[in-house]
Amino acid sequence: MSLPEEDLTCPICYDIFTDPVLLSCSHSFCRSCLKRCWETGLRECSVCRKRASKASPPTNLALRNVCEALLQARRTSAVVEEKMNCNVHGEKLKLFCLVDKQPICVVCQTSKLHKSHDCSPIDEAVLDCKEELALSLKNLHHKEDSLKRIHMTSADMFKYIKSQSLETQRRIKGHFEQLHQDLYREESARIAAVKKEEDEKIAGMKDKMKELSAEVLSLTETISVIQEQLNEDDLILLKNFKATQDREKSIALGSDNMSGILIDVTKHLCNLEYKVWEKMLDHIDYTPVTLDPNTAHPCIILSDDLTSLHYSKEHSCCPDNTERFHISAEVVGMAALGSGSHHWVVETGSNQDWLLGVASSSVSRNSEVSARPENGFWTLCFRDGEFRAMTSPPTAVKPTRVPKQVKVQLDYDKGTVSFFDPADDALIHAFTHTFTETLLPYFYTQSSHPLKIIPEKVLVTMLRQ
C-alpha cells in the first residue's frame, strides 16, 4: 500500500526525505537535516525531544526506497507531461494532423504549417492509427509467411537442381556414347558447361536465400517495433506513427519470381547431334522442336532426348517453378517462334486424347483456361475418336481418315496456323490470326501412349570454288 506524501516528508526541511535515518524513538529525518540540527544544539529528536542514543543513526532503508520510488515517479511524470506538450508553443497536444500524421496543439492548427490541413481529435486519431497499424501488422505477417514459403521452396530447389544436373549429364553421356571416340573432347566440354551452370545456379540460389533471410530478419524487426509501438502511450504512438508507418511501407516483399532459376536443360541437350554435325561424316537427324522439361506438368513424362511425351497418373518429383504448367497436362517447346515459317510433324500413333498447336509465350500456366484463340492457343484436338478445331466454340472437322501423324505449320508473318495429314498433305484445319507476340509449340495429352516429334533429315552440301 502506498504511503501519503506527508508521511514521506522530513519534519525539518518539509521536503521528501533524502537519505533518511531512523532514530531510536522511531522518528526519521534527512541525514543532512539532522546533522545541521545537532551541530547547533543537543543530540536529540527534533520532534519528541528524546535524546538520541547514537551519534550516527542507521539509514531507514525501507523509507529511502519508498522516497526514491516517489521521486522517480515524479521525474517520469514530468517527462511524460513534457512530451504531451508542443515543442514549439508549449501548449497541450490535443489534435492530430491527418496530412503530416503528427500530434499538434491548437496554436499549430492556426499556423501556416497546418492551417489548410485536416485534423482530428487525439482520441479519435489514436483509434484510427491503432486500427491502421493493426492492419499493417497483419500485412507484415502475411509478407513474413510469404517470404518463409519462398524460402522453403528455394531450399527444395537445391536438391532438384543437383538431380537435374546429374540427369542431364547422364543423358549427354548417352548421346556421346553413340558417337565416335573423336568426339570425346566435345562431350567433356559440354559436361563442364553443365557443371558450371550448376555452380552458377546454386550460387544464385544461395544469394537468393541470403537475401530472403535478410528480408525475413528486417521484417521481424519491423514487426517487433510496431508491436512495441502498440504498447506505448497514445501520444508516443502518435508521435512515432509516421516513422513507424514509413518503415512498414518501405519493406517490399521479396520477389517470388523463380523464372530462369533451373538449369537450362534444353541448352545442353537441344539438337545435340546436329550441333556437332561438322565433326561427323554422315548425315544426322534434326528435331525441329525440343520439349522444355522445365515447363512440363508433373504428370507429363518426357523422353531422354526431349522429343516424346506421354501421360502418367503418378506425379513426377519436380519443383513448383514459374515456367511449369501446374493445372493441366501440358508442355511447350523451348524455342520461341517469331517471324517466318515453321513446321514440325508429330506422330500421334495410338494416342486417343491430345491437343497440338501453338501457344503464346505469355499464356497462364497457373490457372485452368480453355485452349482457344482468345486465351492465346491455336490448337487441334482429338478426343473420343473425333477431331475438333479449338475455336470459340469448337469446330468439328472430319478428315477423310484418322492420320497417324499430324503436321503443324506456322506462318507467323501471314498469321496462319495450319494442320495437315503429312501422308497426302491434306489440310485438316487452318487458323487465321494477327500475332503480336512470340509463340511456342504446344502439346497436351492424357494418354499413356506417346506423342513423338518426328526428326528431319539434314543434308550437308559442300560448296567448292
Side-chain angles (χ1 to χ4, degrees), residues 116-132:
S116 61
H117 294 175
D118 292 334
C119 300
S120 67
I122 285 294
D123 293 341
E124 292 182 10
V126 168
L127 294 176
D128 292 341
C129 291
K130 281 188 175 181
E131 183 178 346
E132 194 168 340

Side-chain angles (χ1 to χ4, degrees), residues 14-202:
Y14 299 104
D15 203 350
I16 301 299
F17 284 111
T18 302
D19 190 14
V21 295
L22 180 64
L23 301 182
S24 58
C25 61
S26 299
H27 291 116
S28 295
F29 305 90
C30 295
R31 185 180 296 278
S32 58
C33 294
L34 187 64
K35 182 178 181 182
R36 285 195 302 271
C37 289
W38 284 3
E39 286 176 350
T40 59
L42 297 174
R43 195 170 70 234
E44 61 182 16
C45 175
S46 297
V47 176
C48 64
R49 300 302 178 182
K50 182 176 180 180
R51 188 171 181 82
S53 59
K54 296 181 179 180
S56 180
T59 300
N60 190 337
L61 294 175
L63 184 59
R64 185 180 69 179
N65 292 338
V66 174
C67 292
E68 289 179 350
L70 176 62
L71 293 173
Q72 180 62 35
R74 282 184 176 181
R75 288 192 291 270
T76 302
S77 178
V79 172
V80 172
E81 185 69 24
E82 182 180 355
K83 290 182 178 181
M84 293 179 66
N85 293 332
C86 176
N87 293 333
V88 179
H89 306 107
E91 297 290 331
K92 191 171 182 179
L93 299 170
K94 295 183 178 180
L95 300 170
F96 184 72
C97 177
L98 299 177
V99 176
D100 296 323
K101 298 189 183 300
Q102 62 181 22
I104 61 174
C105 68
V106 291
V107 180
C108 292
Q109 187 186 22
T110 59
S111 67
K112 291 183 178 180
L113 187 62
H114 300 280
K115 189 173 183 179
S116 61
H117 294 175
D118 292 334
C119 300
S120 67
I122 285 294
D123 293 341
E124 292 182 10
V126 168
L127 294 176
D128 292 341
C129 291
K130 281 188 175 181
E131 183 178 346
E132 194 168 340
L133 283 178
L135 180 60
S136 297
L137 190 63
K138 181 179 179 181
N139 291 336
L140 286 172
H141 279 305
H142 178 71
K143 291 179 180 179
E144 181 184 35
D145 292 340
S146 297
L147 281 173
K148 288 180 178 178
R149 187 168 56 253
I150 295 171
H151 191 276
M152 289 180 62
T153 302
S154 300
D156 292 338
M157 290 286 189
F158 275 108
K159 293 181 180 178
Y160 191 78
I161 289 173
K162 185 66 176 178
S163 65
Q164 246 195 333
S165 174
L166 294 174
E167 178 64 11
T168 303
Q169 293 177 54
R170 182 191 68 79
R171 295 181 187 181
I172 289 176
K173 289 181 178 180
H175 282 293
F176 274 93
E177 286 173 359
Q178 301 173 26
L179 303 177
H180 195 272
Q181 184 62 32
D182 292 342
L183 298 178
Y184 174 77
R185 284 177 297 192
E186 179 73 9
E187 177 188 11
S188 300
R190 291 183 177 275
I191 291 176
V194 175
K195 291 181 178 179
K196 179 182 177 182
E197 184 172 0
E198 175 194 356
D199 293 339
E200 292 173 351
K201 297 293 185 179
I202 290 180

Side-chain angles (χ1 to χ4, degrees), residues 317-346:
C317 181
C318 57
D320 188 19
N321 55 296
T322 307
E323 302 93 335
R324 194 174 305 282
F325 287 95
H326 301 96
I327 305 301
S328 187
E330 304 163 280
V331 65
V332 291
M334 75 91 172
L337 308 177
S339 61
S341 180
H342 314 269
H343 73 272
W344 55 96
V345 177
V346 181

